[in-house]
Amino acid sequence: MGGSEEGSMTYREIYEKSLTVSRAVEVCQSVGEQATTEGYYVRGTVSDVSISTSYGDANVTLTEYATNRETGETKEYTLILYRVKSFNGEKFSDESMIQKGDEVIAYGQLVNYKGTTPEMTNGYLVALNGNMSANNGATEPTDPTITYSDTVKVYINCLIPPYLYTWGAREIAEWPGVKMTEQREVNGINFWYMAISTTYEASLNLIFNDGNGNQTTDINGVTGTHYYWYDGMNSYEDITEEVLAGTFTSRDYIMTALITNPDFRNDNSGWKGSSYLYTSNSVAYSGDYNYDFYQEITVPKAGLYEVQVQGFQEQDDYRYFKENKRDVPVYLYANGSVTPLKSIYEERITDENAQTVERLGILV
């Protein structure tokens, strides 16, 4: 393996020379099971790590969401730094030296182990969260008071796993983005978490959404680490200062976010029950059939919840309704609670009001 060059390079130069995880995986797949003769710098976000102080090495998994340049498909790329050494090829002596979410640059040979697992072998650590080893001979050593931010870390306090869409320095996936899966606890409060690698000192633009059409406004110019509260629908707050000060307490939520497709804008997606459910223009309806449609949801904690719906039952004949006013066989139910929907005739417009509506030109 050819020698590395970091002894005469600055952090910025090494960063710009390094491959992303997706590009490193492409190199691994192109060379196959025979390792490259030359070494490569690779940068990425740590998604898993296991350090052995007995052997002095570590297995580190780097993960990146990226778009394949040939197929246009957005997917997750992973590269394993197999038995990588610490700075300058020295042994690891601290099992907590590398953590999930850390940003690393490593140097080593690339190989597609057994034709299925992209790996770096014979490698060692070059930089950790922007800091290079103290005795690597760099002509411009990293000032320990400076943090090189080549990653945007997003924490979202939300009842449901939100979708995160990004653009600007990087688009991690086409709309609606990537559904967040990793959770982290900060000051006793759960957050959905994702780290997005960006070009050096670049900013991201964000949108949070539920994957069903509800979304926040644009959140522009995000760098470094940010904490947000998101209601799962349309509202959000940047709570970074509160979290860092330890004063943030979880907000009250409108539980609509727990319901999939609550306004039927995506037809009957998320709803179970009879097939006699039709949708049009964000309205669900059923004809002259016995029907039942519902969702089963899990609430965050036991308590008293209010369920509301905009709906009505339409009878064919007003005279029948007038004679059998309570005979409205359509109900909203939640577990054991049952409430009948109103008939369309219960709040009908009187003849006098209808004339007023007609004069005003109001369409009803």
Side-chain angles (χ1 to χ4, degrees):
M1 177 175 66
S4 63
E5 306 172 32
E6 67 266 14
S8 59
M9 297 172 64
T10 65
Y11 175 82
R12 181 189 291 270
E13 290 170 333
I14 293 175
Y15 180 91
E16 293 176 347
K17 184 181 180 68
S18 63
L19 302 179
T20 61
V21 172
S22 57
R23 183 70 186 102
V25 168
E26 292 176 359
V27 173
C28 292
Q29 293 171 341
S30 67
V31 300
E33 299 182 48
Q34 186 67 40
T36 59
T37 56
E38 73 275 20
Y40 290 86
Y41 292 100
V42 178
R43 68 180 186 269
T45 304
V46 177
S47 59
D48 194 24
V49 58
S50 174
I51 298 177
S52 171
T53 53
S54 299
Y55 293 99
D57 55 29
N59 290 325
V60 181
T61 302
L62 305 183
T63 301
E64 178 192 11
Y65 291 95
T67 301
N68 185 289
R69 292 178 295 179
E70 295 181 357
T71 66
E73 177 187 8
T74 299
K75 64 177 184 179
E76 181 182 77
Y77 292 84
T78 59
L79 177 74
I80 297 175
L81 309 182
Y82 179 68
R83 302 194 68 173
V84 67
K85 297 293 185 180
S86 185
F87 292 112
N88 302 313
E90 297 176 356
K91 292 184 177 182
F92 282 98
S93 58
D94 181 359
E95 293 183 349
S96 62
M97 181 175 177
I98 301 176
Q99 302 287 329
K100 289 183 179 180
D102 283 346
E103 293 299 311
V104 304
I105 300 178
Y107 181 84
Q109 295 167 282
L110 298 177
V111 63
N112 201 21
Y113 180 67
K114 291 189 176 181
T116 58
T117 307
E119 290 184 353
M120 173 183 285
T121 186
N122 298 321
Y124 61 89
L125 196 63
V126 175
L128 175 62
N129 295 324
N131 296 310
M132 300 167 66
S133 56
N135 60 346
N136 66 359
T139 57
E140 193 175 310
T142 301
D143 184 337
T145 64
I146 297 176
T147 299
Y148 288 96
S149 180
D150 54 24
T151 299
V152 174
K153 297 181 180 181
V154 179
Y155 293 78
I156 304 177
N157 176 236
C158 183
L159 284 174
I160 60 172
Y163 283 78
L164 177 61
Y165 176 72
T166 70
W167 78 101
R170 182 174 168 204
E171 182 181 27
I172 57 176
E174 295 181 356
W175 181 262
V178 175
K179 187 175 184 179
M180 303 179 76
T181 57
E182 183 176 349
Q183 286 188 290
R184 293 193 175 186
E185 186 176 297
V186 180
N187 299 333
I189 297 174
N190 287 325
F191 287 83
W192 299 99
Y193 169 80
M194 186 179 293
I196 305 105
S197 299
T198 67
T199 53
Y200 190 81
E201 295 182 335
S203 64
L204 280 179
N205 305 313
L206 313 175
I207 291 178
F208 310 147
N209 69 95
D210 66 352
N212 286 302
N214 295 298
Q215 67 178 72
T216 64
T217 55
D218 297 353
I219 307 169
N220 297 316
V222 179
T223 60
T225 300
H226 275 263
Y227 296 83
Y228 298 93
W229 171 84
Y230 173 44
D231 71 350
M233 300 289 286
N234 310 109
S235 299
Y236 81 95
E237 293 180 35
D238 187 331
I239 56 172
T240 303
E241 291 186 3
E242 292 178 68
V243 172
L244 295 180
T247 59
F248 173 73
T249 56
S250 189
R251 306 285 195 262
D252 291 331
Y253 290 89
I254 297 175
M255 298 298 172
T256 304
L258 298 176
I259 302 175
T260 302
N261 189 28
D263 54 6
F264 299 97
R265 69 174 63 193
N266 291 320
D267 297 323
N268 59 1
S269 174
W271 294 90
K272 302 177 181 179
S274 68
S275 59
Y276 305 118
L277 175 64
Y278 309 98
T279 59
S280 177
N281 297 321
S282 295
V283 175
Y285 62 96
S286 183
D288 297 328
Y289 304 98
N290 291 325
Y291 59 89
D292 178 28
F293 55 94
Y294 60 91
Q295 287 190 33
E296 297 174 350
I297 63 175
T298 301
V299 295
K301 60 182 178 180
L304 184 63
Y305 294 85
E306 181 182 57
V307 180
Q308 298 180 347
V309 66
Q310 291 179 309
F312 61 86
Q313 194 262 349
E314 181 180 7
Q315 291 164 305
D316 292 335
D317 193 307
Y318 171 66
R319 288 173 297 180
Y320 176 84
F321 164 75
K322 190 174 182 180
E323 295 171 2
N324 306 275
K325 188 171 184 178
R326 288 295 85 203
D327 185 14
V328 181
V330 181
Y331 303 91
L332 168 67
Y333 68 93
N335 291 346
S337 300
V338 179
T339 300
L341 267 64
K342 289 185 176 182
S343 166
I344 192 174
Y345 295 115
E346 285 196 56
E347 297 179 1
R348 71 187 187 94
I349 298 175
T350 64
D351 291 340
E352 181 180 350
N353 288 340
Q355 293 174 4
T356 301
V357 168
E358 185 175 3
R359 287 197 306 272
L360 295 174
I362 301 175
L363 180 63
V364 296

